[in-house]
Amino acid sequence: MARFPILMYHKIGVPPEGAKVPHHYVSVDRFKRQICAILRFGFKTTHVSTHEPDVKKPICLTFDDGYQNFQLAASVLKDNGQTGTVFVVTDLLGRDNRWDVETGDVPEPLLSADEVLNLHRAGFEFGSHTVTHARLAQIDQNLAKQEIVRSKEFLDSLLGSDTQVFCYPYGSHDSDVRLMVQKAGYKWACSVEKGWNDGQTDPFRLKRVNVRRDTSTAVLFWKLWSQARRRTQID
Ligand SMILES: [Zn+2]
């Protein structure tokens, strides 16, 4: 397996007043500049599930939670002939991020099932981020299993394909959770641990490089290279 980084994005756009985690919003302009820079550097974007084939410098772009503002990223990616992987919360499609709203955050609309289907047809990859954005390592194991299995069944049937990628909400996983994800038929799962991935990486514990609102192109490359060398890692 080639060594490859996975970038982690959440929301695209400007944080609205009251947003609890403004650094989760990356502006469209900044996103455009980041895409142009990684392409100039010779990277090519691939899906998380297909990062192995002949691409010389693969990079995966992941978008957690499936916000409707992913559409802004999707048009930048389409314009540049690139792709990405989106992790959706299957019971909340077309609704909002109530797991955040419950803790006082502002609501953000999530992609609807129709939008997911259209984006999938346009070449974007979709993975599961559970049914309800559950903290898997901290809930009852039967519930955790349902979150993992039911979200896959839903996406498999919506998209007419075998959903291969999973992403742990809140980065919450342990060995039991990882085994459940594997047994459910996923092939890969993204964590929030930092670094690049290679042949030694547990496929159910893929590492990612976090991209924040203040991640300029220079900082992005600094993060990429420092994490590639597994030196001191910053968030
Ligand atoms: Zn999430």
Side-chain angles (χ1 to χ4, degrees):
M1 191 202 295
R3 257 158 54 80
F4 69 101
I6 303 176
L7 302 185
M8 171 170 63
Y9 289 91
H10 283 84
K11 298 160 183 141
I12 302 297
V14 177
E17 185 144 349
K20 270 181 89 177
V21 194
H23 71 70
H24 271 176
Y25 292 77
V26 173
S27 75
V28 178
D29 278 353
R30 177 149 277 173
F31 182 70
K32 266 186 206 160
R33 285 197 295 271
Q34 290 170 345
I35 298 308
C36 292
I38 62 175
L39 295 179
R40 261 201 315 276
F41 214 84
F43 283 111
K44 175 153 182 14
T45 59
T46 71
H47 292 160
V48 173
S49 65
T50 54
H51 60 268
E52 289 181 82
D54 316 327
V55 177
K56 198 161 157 234
K57 280 174 85 171
I59 189 168
C60 304
L61 307 184
T62 59
F63 299 82
D64 286 20
D65 305 330
Y67 295 102
Q68 206 157 57
N69 54 40
F70 171 71
Q71 297 279 13
L72 299 169
S75 44
V76 174
L77 292 171
K78 274 190 232 161
D79 287 349
N80 288 281
Q82 303 301 310
T83 191
T85 299
V86 186
F87 297 115
V88 295
V89 180
T90 57
D91 255 14
L92 297 180
L93 294 179
R95 295 161 79 178
D96 65 22
N97 53 339
R98 55 199 51 203
W99 68 90
D100 283 333
V101 174
E102 280 162 9
T103 63
D105 207 345
V106 294
E108 277 289 349
L110 301 173
L111 293 167
S112 68
D114 272 354
E115 287 173 306
V116 168
L117 191 54
N118 286 330
L119 287 161
H120 182 255
R121 286 185 180 137
F124 294 98
E125 176 174 55
F126 283 85
S128 164
H129 202 38
T130 73
V131 177
T132 66
H133 204 271
R135 214 177 276 273
L136 295 172
Q138 292 179 25
I139 59 173
D140 175 82
Q141 286 212 348
N142 284 321
L143 283 179
K145 188 177 168 193
Q146 283 183 34
E147 291 273 350
I148 293 163
V149 170
R150 277 187 43 220
S151 54
K152 184 174 192 307
E153 288 169 353
F154 179 91
L155 283 174
D156 285 359
S157 122
L158 175 69
L159 304 175
S161 62
D162 179 26
T163 306
Q164 303 215 340
V165 195
F166 187 86
C167 175
Y168 308 103
Y170 310 101
S172 171
H173 64 84
D174 57 21
S175 54
D176 292 334
V177 168
R178 292 196 297 275
L179 192 60
M180 283 187 245
V181 169
Q182 187 170 6
K183 281 189 173 160
Y186 298 97
K187 302 287 189 291
W188 310 94
C190 288
S191 74
V192 293
E193 287 149 59
K194 300 185 189 82
W196 288 42
N197 303 287
D198 58 26
Q200 311 300 314
T201 311
D202 180 343
F204 294 94
R205 206 170 181 167
L206 295 175
K207 297 170 192 169
R208 293 192 288 174
V209 176
N210 188 24
V211 185
R212 300 170 29 133
R213 179 161 188 76
D214 56 2
T215 306
S216 64
T217 303
V219 170
L220 177 62
F221 277 86
W222 181 81
K223 280 187 175 200
L224 276 170
W225 303 141
S226 62
Q227 296 188 20
R229 294 193 302 263
R230 298 163 198 269
R231 285 226 201 113
T232 315
Q233 296 167 353
I234 61 154
D235 183 33

